[in-house]
Coordinates of all heavy atoms in Angstrom, one line a residue:
M186 N 7.9 134.7 140.2 CA 7.8 135.7 139.2 C 8.9 135.4 138.1 O 10.0 135.0 138.4 CB 8.2 137.1 139.8 CG 8.1 138.2 138.9 SD 8.5 139.7 139.8 CE 7.3 140.8 139.0
A187 N 8.4 135.5 136.9 CA 9.3 135.1 135.7 C 10.3 136.2 135.5 O 10.1 137.4 135.6 CB 8.4 134.9 134.5
R188 N 11.5 135.7 135.1 CA 12.6 136.5 134.8 C 12.5 136.9 133.3 O 12.3 136.0 132.5 CB 13.9 135.7 135.1 CG 15.2 136.4 134.9 CD 16.3 135.5 135.4 NE 16.8 134.6 134.4 CZ 17.5 134.9 133.3 NH1 17.6 136.1 132.9 NH2 17.9 134.0 132.5
T189 N 12.7 138.1 132.9 CA 12.7 138.5 131.5 C 14.0 138.9 131.0 O 14.9 139.4 131.8 CB 11.7 139.6 131.3 OG1 12.1 140.8 132.0 CG2 10.3 139.3 131.6
V190 N 14.3 138.6 129.8 CA 15.5 139.0 129.1 C 15.2 139.6 127.7 O 14.1 139.4 127.2 CB 16.4 137.8 128.9 CG1 16.9 137.2 130.2 CG2 15.8 136.7 128.0
F191 N 16.1 140.4 127.2 CA 15.9 140.8 125.8 C 16.5 139.7 125.0 O 17.7 139.5 125.0 CB 16.6 142.1 125.5 CG 16.3 142.5 124.1 CD1 15.2 143.1 123.7 CD2 17.3 142.2 123.1 CE1 14.9 143.5 122.4 CE2 17.0 142.6 121.7 CZ 15.8 143.2 121.4
C192 N 15.7 138.9 124.3 CA 16.1 137.7 123.6 C 16.8 138.1 122.3 O 16.2 138.8 121.4 CB 14.9 136.8 123.3 SG 15.4 135.3 122.4
Q193 N 18.1 137.7 122.1 CA 18.8 138.1 120.9 C 18.3 137.3 119.7 O 18.4 137.8 118.6 CB 20.3 137.8 121.1 CG 21.0 138.8 122.0 CD 22.5 138.6 122.1 OE1 23.1 137.8 121.5 NE2 23.1 139.5 122.9
Y194 N 17.7 136.1 119.9 CA 17.2 135.4 118.8 C 15.9 136.0 118.3 O 15.7 136.1 117.1 CB 17.0 133.9 119.2 CG 16.5 133.0 118.1 CD1 17.4 132.5 117.1 CD2 15.2 132.7 118.0 CE1 17.0 131.8 116.1 CE2 14.7 131.9 116.9 CZ 15.6 131.4 116.0 OH 15.2 130.7 114.9
L195 N 15.0 136.3 119.2 CA 13.7 136.8 118.8 C 13.6 138.3 118.7 O 12.6 138.9 118.2 CB 12.6 136.3 119.9 CG 12.4 134.8 120.1 CD1 11.5 134.6 121.3 CD2 11.9 134.2 118.8
N196 N 14.7 139.0 119.2 CA 14.7 140.4 119.2 C 13.5 141.1 119.9 O 12.9 142.0 119.4 CB 14.8 141.0 117.7 CG 16.2 140.7 117.1 OD1 17.2 140.9 117.8 ND2 16.2 140.3 115.9
K197 N 13.2 140.5 121.1 CA 12.2 141.1 121.9 C 12.3 140.7 123.3 O 13.1 139.7 123.6 CB 10.8 140.7 121.4 CG 10.5 139.2 121.5 CD 9.1 138.8 121.1 CE 8.8 137.4 121.4 NZ 7.4 137.0 121.0
E198 N 11.7 141.4 124.2 CA 11.6 141.0 125.7 C 10.8 139.8 125.8 O 9.7 139.7 125.2 CB 11.0 142.1 126.5 CG 11.9 143.3 126.7 CD 13.1 143.1 127.6 OE1 12.9 142.3 128.6 OE2 14.1 143.7 127.4
A199 N 11.3 138.8 126.5 CA 10.5 137.5 126.7 C 11.0 136.9 128.0 O 12.0 137.3 128.6 CB 10.7 136.6 125.5
D200 N 10.2 135.9 128.5 CA 10.6 135.1 129.7 C 11.9 134.5 129.5 O 12.1 133.8 128.5 CB 9.5 134.1 130.0 CG 8.2 134.7 130.5 OD1 8.2 135.9 130.9 OD2 7.2 134.0 130.6
G201 N 12.8 134.6 130.4 CA 14.1 134.0 130.4 C 14.1 132.6 131.0 O 13.1 132.2 131.6
L202 N 15.2 131.9 130.8 CA 15.3 130.6 131.4 C 15.3 130.7 132.9 O 15.7 131.7 133.5 CB 16.6 129.9 130.9 CG 16.7 129.7 129.4 CD1 18.1 129.4 129.0 CD2 15.7 128.6 128.9
D203 N 14.8 129.6 133.5 CA 14.7 129.6 135.0 C 16.1 129.4 135.7 O 16.3 129.9 136.8 CB 13.8 128.5 135.5 CG 12.4 128.7 135.1 OD1 12.0 129.9 135.0 OD2 11.7 127.8 134.8
F204 N 17.0 128.8 135.0 CA 18.4 128.6 135.5 C 19.3 128.3 134.3 O 18.8 128.0 133.2 CB 18.4 127.4 136.6 CG 17.8 126.1 136.1 CD1 18.6 125.2 135.5 CD2 16.5 125.9 136.3 CE1 18.0 124.0 135.1 CE2 15.9 124.7 135.9 CZ 16.7 123.7 135.3
Q205 N 20.6 128.4 134.6 CA 21.6 128.1 133.5 C 21.7 126.7 133.2 O 22.1 125.8 134.0 CB 22.9 128.7 134.0 CG 24.0 128.6 132.9 CD 25.3 129.3 133.4 OE1 25.3 130.3 134.1 NE2 26.4 128.8 132.9
L206 N 21.2 126.3 132.0 CA 21.2 124.9 131.6 C 22.5 124.3 131.1 O 22.7 123.1 131.0 CB 20.1 124.7 130.5 CG 18.7 125.1 130.9 CD1 17.8 125.2 129.7 CD2 18.2 124.1 131.9
I207 N 23.4 125.2 130.6 CA 24.6 124.8 130.0 C 25.8 125.4 130.8 O 25.7 126.6 131.2 CB 24.7 125.4 128.5 CG1 23.5 124.9 127.8 CG2 26.0 125.0 127.8 CD1 23.1 125.7 126.6
P208 N 26.8 124.6 131.1 CA 27.9 125.1 131.9 C 28.8 126.1 131.1 O 28.8 126.1 129.9 CB 28.7 123.9 132.3 CG 28.3 122.9 131.2 CD 27.0 123.2 130.8
G209 N 29.6 126.9 131.8 CA 30.6 127.7 131.2 C 30.1 129.0 130.7 O 29.0 129.4 130.9
E210 N 31.0 129.7 129.9 CA 30.7 131.0 129.4 C 29.6 131.0 128.4 O 28.7 131.9 128.4 CB 32.0 131.6 128.7 CG 33.0 132.1 129.7 CD 32.5 133.2 130.7 OE1 31.9 134.1 130.2 OE2 32.7 133.0 131.9
V211 N 29.5 130.0 127.5 CA 28.4 129.9 126.6 C 27.1 129.8 127.3 O 26.1 130.4 126.9 CB 28.6 128.7 125.5 CG1 27.4 128.5 124.7 CG2 29.9 129.0 124.7
G212 N 27.1 128.9 128.3 CA 25.9 128.8 129.1 C 25.4 130.1 129.8 O 24.2 130.4 129.8
K213 N 26.4 130.9 130.3 CA 26.0 132.2 130.9 C 25.5 133.1 129.8 O 24.5 133.8 130.1 CB 27.3 132.8 131.5 CG 27.1 134.2 132.0 CD 27.1 134.2 133.5 CE 27.1 135.6 134.1 NZ 25.7 136.1 134.2
R214 N 26.1 133.1 128.6 CA 25.6 133.9 127.5 C 24.2 133.5 127.1 O 23.3 134.4 126.9 CB 26.5 133.8 126.3 CG 26.2 134.7 125.2 CD 27.3 134.5 124.1 NE 26.9 135.3 122.9 CZ 27.4 135.1 121.7 NH1 28.3 134.1 121.5 NH2 27.0 135.8 120.7
V215 N 23.9 132.2 127.1 CA 22.5 131.8 126.7 C 21.6 132.2 127.8 O 20.5 132.7 127.6 CB 22.5 130.2 126.5 CG1 21.1 129.7 126.5 CG2 23.3 129.8 125.3
F216 N 21.9 132.0 129.1 CA 21.1 132.3 130.2 C 20.7 133.8 130.2 O 19.6 134.2 130.5 CB 21.7 131.9 131.5 CG 20.9 132.2 132.8 CD1 19.8 131.5 133.0 CD2 21.3 133.2 133.6 CE1 19.0 131.7 134.2 CE2 20.6 133.5 134.8 CZ 19.4 132.7 135.0
D217 N 21.7 134.6 129.9 CA 21.5 136.1 130.0 C 20.8 136.7 128.8 O 20.2 137.8 128.9 CB 22.9 136.8 130.1 CG 23.5 136.6 131.5 OD1 22.8 136.2 132.5 OD2 24.7 136.8 131.6
N218 N 20.8 136.0 127.6 CA 20.4 136.6 126.4 C 19.4 135.8 125.5 O 19.0 136.3 124.5 CB 21.6 136.9 125.5 CG 22.6 137.8 126.1 OD1 22.3 139.0 126.3 ND2 23.7 137.3 126.5
I219 N 19.0 134.7 126.0 CA 18.0 133.8 125.2 C 16.8 133.5 126.1 O 16.9 133.1 127.2 CB 18.8 132.5 124.8 CG1 20.0 132.9 123.9 CG2 17.8 131.6 124.0 CD1 19.6 133.6 122.6
S220 N 15.7 133.6 125.4 CA 14.4 133.3 126.1 C 14.1 131.8 126.1 O 14.7 131.0 125.4 CB 13.3 134.1 125.4 OG 13.0 133.5 124.1
K221 N 13.1 131.5 127.0 CA 12.6 130.1 127.0 C 12.1 129.7 125.6 O 12.4 128.6 125.2 CB 11.5 129.9 128.0 CG 11.9 129.9 129.4 CD 10.6 129.7 130.3 CE 11.0 129.8 131.8 NZ 9.8 129.6 132.6
E222 N 11.4 130.6 125.0 CA 10.8 130.2 123.7 C 11.9 129.9 122.7 O 11.8 128.9 121.9 CB 9.9 131.4 123.2 CG 9.3 131.3 121.9 CD 8.5 132.5 121.4 OE1 8.4 133.5 122.2 OE2 8.1 132.5 120.2
A223 N 12.9 130.8 122.6 CA 14.0 130.6 121.6 C 14.7 129.3 122.0 O 15.1 128.5 121.1 CB 14.9 131.8 121.6
F224 N 15.0 129.0 123.3 CA 15.7 127.8 123.6 C 14.9 126.6 123.3 O 15.5 125.6 122.9 CB 16.1 127.8 125.1 CG 17.2 126.9 125.4 CD1 18.5 127.1 125.1 CD2 16.9 125.7 126.0 CE1 19.5 126.2 125.4 CE2 17.9 124.7 126.3 CZ 19.2 125.0 126.0
T225 N 13.6 126.6 123.4 CA 12.8 125.5 123.0 C 12.9 125.2 121.5 O 13.0 124.1 121.1 CB 11.3 125.8 123.3 OG1 11.2 125.9 124.8 CG2 10.4 124.6 122.9
L226 N 13.0 126.3 120.7 CA 13.2 126.1 119.2 C 14.5 125.5 119.0 O 14.7 124.6 118.1 CB 13.2 127.5 118.5 CG 11.8 128.2 118.5 CD1 12.0 129.6 118.0 CD2 10.8 127.4 117.8
W227 N 15.6 125.9 119.8 CA 16.9 125.2 119.6 C 16.8 123.8 120.0 O 17.4 122.9 119.3 CB 18.0 126.0 120.4 CG 19.1 125.1 120.6 CD1 19.6 124.5 121.8 CD2 20.0 124.5 119.6 NE1 20.7 123.7 121.6 CE2 21.0 123.7 120.2 CE3 20.1 124.7 118.2 CZ2 21.9 123.0 119.5 CZ3 21.1 124.0 117.5 CH2 22.0 123.2 118.2
Q228 N 16.1 123.4 121.1 CA 16.1 122.0 121.5 C 15.5 121.1 120.5 O 15.9 120.0 120.3 CB 15.3 121.9 122.8 CG 16.0 122.5 124.0 CD 15.2 122.4 125.3 OE1 14.1 122.9 125.3 NE2 15.8 121.9 126.3
K229 N 14.5 121.6 119.7 CA 14.0 120.8 118.6 C 15.0 120.6 117.5 O 15.2 119.4 117.0 CB 12.8 121.5 118.0 CG 11.6 121.5 118.9 CD 10.4 122.3 118.3 CE 9.3 122.4 119.4 NZ 8.2 123.3 118.9
K230 N 15.8 121.6 117.2 CA 16.9 121.4 116.2 C 18.0 120.5 116.8 O 18.5 119.6 116.1 CB 17.5 122.8 115.9 CG 16.6 123.7 115.2 CD 16.5 123.4 113.7 CE 15.7 124.4 113.0 NZ 15.6 124.1 111.6
Q231 N 18.3 120.7 118.0 CA 19.3 119.9 118.7 C 18.9 118.4 118.6 O 19.8 117.5 118.3 CB 19.4 120.3 120.2 CG 20.3 119.4 121.0 CD 20.3 119.9 122.4 OE1 21.2 120.7 122.8 NE2 19.4 119.5 123.3
T232 N 17.7 118.1 118.9 CA 17.2 116.7 118.9 C 17.4 116.1 117.5 O 17.9 115.0 117.3 CB 15.7 116.6 119.3 OG1 15.6 117.1 120.6 CG2 15.2 115.2 119.2
M233 N 17.0 116.9 116.4 CA 17.2 116.4 115.1 C 18.6 116.2 114.7 O 19.0 115.2 114.1 CB 16.5 117.4 114.1 CG 15.0 117.4 114.1 SD 14.2 118.3 112.8 CE 14.3 120.0 113.5
L234 N 19.5 117.1 115.2 CA 21.0 116.9 114.9 C 21.5 115.7 115.6 O 22.3 114.9 115.0 CB 21.7 118.2 115.4 CG 21.7 119.4 114.5 CD1 22.4 120.6 115.3 CD2 22.5 119.1 113.2
I235 N 21.1 115.5 116.8 CA 21.6 114.3 117.6 C 21.2 113.0 116.8 O 22.0 112.1 116.6 CB 21.1 114.3 119.0 CG1 21.8 115.4 119.8 CG2 21.3 112.9 119.7 CD1 21.1 115.7 121.2
N236 N 19.9 113.0 116.4 CA 19.4 111.8 115.7 C 20.1 111.6 114.3 O 20.5 110.5 114.0 CB 17.9 111.9 115.6 CG 17.2 111.7 116.9 OD1 17.8 111.1 117.9 ND2 16.0 112.2 117.0
E237 N 20.2 112.7 113.6 CA 20.7 112.6 112.2 C 22.1 112.2 112.2 O 22.5 111.3 111.4 CB 20.6 114.0 111.5 CG 21.2 113.9 110.1 CD 21.3 115.3 109.4 OE1 20.8 116.3 110.0 OE2 21.9 115.4 108.4
H238 N 22.9 112.7 113.1 CA 24.4 112.4 113.1 C 24.7 111.3 114.1 O 25.9 111.0 114.3 CB 25.2 113.7 113.4 CG 25.0 114.8 112.4 ND1 25.7 114.7 111.2 CD2 24.3 115.9 112.3 CE1 25.4 115.8 110.4 NE2 24.6 116.5 111.1
K239 N 23.7 110.8 114.8 CA 23.9 109.7 115.8 C 25.0 110.1 116.8 O 26.0 109.4 117.0 CB 24.3 108.4 115.1 CG 23.2 107.9 114.2 CD 23.6 106.6 113.5 CE 22.6 106.0 112.6 NZ 21.8 106.7 111.7
L240 N 24.8 111.4 117.3 CA 25.8 111.9 118.2 C 25.7 111.2 119.6 O 24.7 110.8 120.0 CB 25.5 113.4 118.5 CG 25.6 114.3 117.2 CD1 25.3 115.7 117.6 CD2 26.9 114.2 116.5
N241 N 26.9 111.1 120.2 CA 27.0 110.5 121.5 C 27.4 111.6 122.5 O 28.5 112.2 122.4 CB 28.1 109.4 121.5 CG 28.4 108.8 122.8 OD1 27.9 109.2 123.8 ND2 29.3 107.8 122.8
M242 N 26.5 111.9 123.4 CA 26.8 113.1 124.3 C 27.9 112.8 125.3 O 28.3 113.7 126.0 CB 25.5 113.5 125.0 CG 24.4 114.0 124.1 SD 24.9 115.5 123.2 CE 25.6 114.9 121.7
M243 N 28.4 111.6 125.3 CA 29.6 111.3 126.2 C 30.9 111.6 125.4 O 31.9 111.7 126.0 CB 29.6 109.8 126.5 CG 28.5 109.3 127.4 SD 28.4 110.1 129.0 CE 29.7 109.4 129.8
N244 N 30.8 111.9 124.1 CA 31.9 112.2 123.3 C 32.1 113.7 123.3 O 31.2 114.5 122.9 CB 31.7 111.7 121.9 CG 32.8 111.9 120.9 OD1 33.4 113.0 120.9 ND2 33.2 110.9 120.2
A245 N 33.3 114.2 123.7 CA 33.5 115.7 123.7 C 33.4 116.3 122.4 O 32.9 117.5 122.3 CB 34.9 115.9 124.3
D246 N 33.9 115.7 121.3 CA 33.8 116.3 120.0 C 32.3 116.5 119.6 O 32.0 117.5 118.9 CB 34.5 115.4 118.9 CG 36.0 115.4 119.1 OD1 36.5 116.4 119.7 OD2 36.7 114.4 118.7
D247 N 31.5 115.5 119.9 CA 30.0 115.6 119.5 C 29.4 116.7 120.3 O 28.6 117.5 119.8 CB 29.3 114.3 119.8 CG 29.7 113.2 118.8 OD1 30.4 113.4 117.9 OD2 29.2 112.0 119.0
R248 N 29.7 116.8 121.6 CA 29.2 117.9 122.4 C 29.6 119.3 121.9 O 28.8 120.2 121.8 CB 29.6 117.8 123.9 CG 28.9 116.7 124.6 CD 29.1 116.7 126.1 NE 30.5 116.9 126.6 CZ 31.3 116.0 126.8 NH1 31.0 114.7 126.7 NH2 32.6 116.3 127.2
Q249 N 30.9 119.4 121.5 CA 31.4 120.6 120.9 C 30.7 121.0 119.6 O 30.4 122.2 119.4 CB 32.9 120.6 120.7 CG 33.5 121.9 120.3 CD 33.4 122.9 121.4 OE1 33.7 122.7 122.5 NE2 32.9 124.1 121.0
M250 N 30.5 120.0 118.7 CA 29.8 120.3 117.5 C 28.4 120.8 117.8 O 27.9 121.7 117.1 CB 29.7 119.0 116.7 CG 29.1 119.2 115.3 SD 27.3 119.0 115.2 CE 27.1 117.3 114.6
L251 N 27.7 120.2 118.7 CA 26.4 120.6 119.1 C 26.4 122.1 119.6 O 25.5 122.9 119.3 CB 25.8 119.7 120.1 CG 24.3 119.5 120.2 CD1 23.7 119.2 118.8 CD2 23.9 118.5 121.2
Q252 N 27.3 122.3 120.5 CA 27.4 123.7 121.1 C 27.8 124.7 120.0 O 27.2 125.8 120.0 CB 28.5 123.7 122.1 CG 28.7 125.1 122.8 CD 29.6 125.1 124.0 OE1 29.3 124.4 125.0 NE2 30.7 125.9 123.9
D253 N 28.6 124.4 119.0 CA 28.9 125.3 117.9 C 27.7 125.6 117.1 O 27.4 126.8 116.7 CB 30.0 124.7 117.0 CG 31.4 124.6 117.7 OD1 31.6 125.2 118.8 OD2 32.2 123.9 117.2
N254 N 26.9 124.6 116.8 CA 25.6 124.8 116.1 C 24.6 125.6 116.9 O 23.9 126.4 116.3 CB 25.0 123.4 115.7 CG 25.7 122.9 114.4 OD1 25.5 123.4 113.3 ND2 26.5 121.9 114.6
M255 N 24.6 125.4 118.2 CA 23.7 126.2 119.1 C 24.1 127.7 119.0 O 23.2 128.5 118.8 CB 23.8 125.7 120.5 CG 22.9 126.5 121.4 SD 23.1 126.0 123.2 CE 24.8 126.6 123.5
V256 N 25.3 128.0 119.1 CA 25.8 129.4 119.0 C 25.4 130.0 117.6 O 24.9 131.1 117.6 CB 27.3 129.5 119.3 CG1 27.8 130.9 118.9 CG2 27.6 129.2 120.7
K257 N 25.6 129.2 116.6 CA 25.3 129.7 115.2 C 23.8 130.0 115.1 O 23.4 131.0 114.6 CB 25.7 128.7 114.2 CG 27.2 128.6 114.0 CD 27.5 127.5 112.9 CE 29.0 127.3 112.8 NZ 29.3 126.1 112.0
F258 N 23.0 129.1 115.7 CA 21.5 129.2 115.6 C 21.0 130.3 116.4 O 20.2 131.2 115.9 CB 20.9 127.9 116.0 CG 19.4 127.9 115.9 CD1 18.7 127.7 114.7 CD2 18.6 128.0 117.1 CE1 17.3 127.7 114.6 CE2 17.2 127.9 117.0 CZ 16.6 127.8 115.8
L259 N 21.4 130.4 117.7 CA 20.8 131.3 118.6 C 21.4 132.8 118.5 O 20.7 133.7 118.7 CB 21.0 130.9 120.1 CG 20.2 129.6 120.5 CD1 20.6 129.2 121.9 CD2 18.7 129.9 120.4
F260 N 22.7 132.9 118.2 CA 23.3 134.2 118.2 C 23.7 134.7 116.8 O 23.8 135.9 116.7 CB 24.5 134.2 119.1 CG 24.2 133.9 120.5 CD1 24.5 132.7 121.1 CD2 23.6 134.9 121.3 CE1 24.1 132.4 122.5 CE2 23.3 134.7 122.7 CZ 23.6 133.4 123.2
E261 N 23.9 133.9 115.9 CA 24.3 134.3 114.6 C 23.2 134.3 113.5 O 23.4 134.6 112.4 CB 25.6 133.5 114.1 CG 26.7 133.7 115.1 CD 27.9 132.8 114.8 OE1 27.9 132.1 113.7 OE2 28.8 132.7 115.7
G262 N 22.1 133.8 113.9 CA 20.9 133.7 113.0 C 21.1 132.7 111.9 O 20.3 132.8 110.9
E263 N 22.0 131.8 112.0 CA 22.2 130.8 111.0 C 21.2 129.6 111.1 O 21.0 129.1 112.2 CB 23.6 130.2 111.1 CG 24.0 129.3 109.9 CD 25.5 129.0 110.0 OE1 26.3 129.9 110.2 OE2 25.8 127.8 109.9
E264 N 20.5 129.3 110.0 CA 19.6 128.2 110.0 C 20.4 126.9 110.0 O 21.3 126.7 109.2 CB 18.7 128.3 108.8 CG 17.6 127.2 108.8 CD 16.7 127.2 110.1 OE1 16.3 128.3 110.6 OE2 16.4 126.1 110.5
I265 N 20.0 126.0 110.8 CA 20.7 124.7 110.9 C 20.1 123.7 109.9 O 18.9 123.5 110.0 CB 20.7 124.1 112.3 CG1 21.2 125.1 113.3 CG2 21.4 122.8 112.4 CD1 22.7 125.5 113.1
H266 N 20.9 123.2 109.0 CA 20.4 122.3 107.9 C 20.3 120.9 108.5 O 21.3 120.4 108.9 CB 21.2 122.4 106.7 CG 20.8 121.4 105.6 ND1 19.6 121.6 104.9 CD2 21.3 120.3 105.2 CE1 19.5 120.6 104.0 NE2 20.5 119.8 104.2
I267 N 19.2 120.3 108.4 CA 19.0 118.9 108.8 C 18.7 118.1 107.5 O 17.7 118.3 106.8 CB 17.8 118.7 109.8 CG1 17.9 119.7 110.9 CG2 17.7 117.3 110.2 CD1 19.1 119.5 111.9
E268 N 19.6 117.2 107.2 CA 19.5 116.4 105.9 C 18.2 115.7 105.8 O 17.8 115.0 106.8 CB 20.7 115.4 105.9 CG 20.8 114.6 104.6 CD 21.3 115.5 103.4 OE1 22.1 116.4 103.7 OE2 20.9 115.2 102.3
G269 N 17.5 115.9 104.7 CA 16.2 115.2 104.5 C 15.0 115.8 105.2 O 13.9 115.3 105.0
Y270 N 15.2 116.8 106.1 CA 14.1 117.4 106.8 C 13.4 118.5 105.9 O 14.1 119.3 105.4 CB 14.5 118.0 108.1 CG 13.4 118.8 108.8 CD1 12.4 118.1 109.4 CD2 13.3 120.2 108.8 CE1 11.3 118.7 110.0 CE2 12.3 120.8 109.5 CZ 11.3 120.1 110.1 OH 10.3 120.8 110.7
K271 N 12.1 118.3 105.8 CA 11.3 119.4 105.0 C 10.3 119.9 106.0 O 9.5 119.1 106.5 CB 10.7 118.8 103.8 CG 11.6 118.3 102.7 CD 10.9 117.9 101.5 CE 11.8 117.4 100.4 NZ 13.1 116.9 100.6
P272 N 10.3 121.2 106.3 CA 9.3 121.8 107.3 C 7.9 121.6 106.7 O 7.7 121.6 105.5 CB 9.7 123.2 107.4 CG 10.8 123.5 106.4 CD 11.2 122.2 105.8
P273 N 7.0 121.4 107.6 CA 5.6 121.3 107.2 C 5.1 122.5 106.4 O 5.5 123.6 106.8 CB 4.8 121.1 108.5 CG 5.7 121.4 109.6 CD 7.1 121.4 109.1
E274 N 4.3 122.3 105.4 CA 3.8 123.4 104.6 C 2.6 124.0 105.4 O 1.8 123.3 105.9 CB 3.4 123.0 103.2 CG 4.6 122.5 102.4 CD 4.2 122.1 101.0 OE1 3.1 122.5 100.6 OE2 4.9 121.3 100.4
S275 N 2.6 125.3 105.4 CA 1.5 126.0 106.1 C 0.2 126.1 105.3 O 0.2 126.2 104.1 CB 1.9 127.4 106.5 OG 3.0 127.4 107.3

């Protein structure tokens, strides 16, 4: 049975994550307040950030930068700017 949460990003009830993907307090906050759908949207942005900035996930500063951007995107409603990216026109 799927776990539901009130997703702070989507502002609606939705299926929650199956388990806590990120360690620590931020991970608990994401697990309790972000839906699978919203986290998938973040993962797409995350991939673009990693590629654009050539981030090394073994580097603590790079991981922290990514986490800071995740919090801004998921909880503060800030759009993450990816240099040179133009969303497809509808």
Side-chain angles (χ1 to χ4, degrees):
M186 181 178 223
R188 181 175 88 66
T189 61
V190 297
F191 183 81
C192 180
Q193 288 186 2
Y194 182 81
L195 300 173
N196 288 318
K197 68 177 185 178
E198 289 285 327
D200 288 346
L202 297 168
D203 294 327
F204 51 90
Q205 186 174 327
L206 298 168
I207 303 159
E210 286 300 313
V211 172
K213 175 107 174 84
R214 186 175 173 201
V215 168
F216 181 71
D217 291 340
N218 299 292
I219 299 298
S220 67
K221 284 182 183 179
E222 180 183 353
F224 197 75
T225 298
L226 294 173
W227 161 247
Q228 286 178 309
K229 291 175 184 175
K230 294 282 185 181
Q231 173 181 268
T232 300
M233 288 190 278
L234 280 171
I235 291 169
N236 290 336
E237 176 188 355
H238 295 284
K239 297 177 177 49
L240 300 180
N241 176 354
M242 295 299 92
M243 297 299 288
N244 182 316
D246 291 336
D247 288 355
R248 287 193 313 270
Q249 186 62 50
M250 186 271 261
L251 206 55
Q252 181 171 299
D253 292 344
N254 278 290
M255 178 185 68
V256 169
K257 288 177 188 174
F258 180 77
L259 292 174
F260 295 106
E261 298 170 11
E263 188 173 311
E264 186 56 41
I265 304 301
H266 177 71
I267 309 295
E268 186 73 32
Y270 174 73
K271 292 185 179 30
E274 294 181 22
S275 301

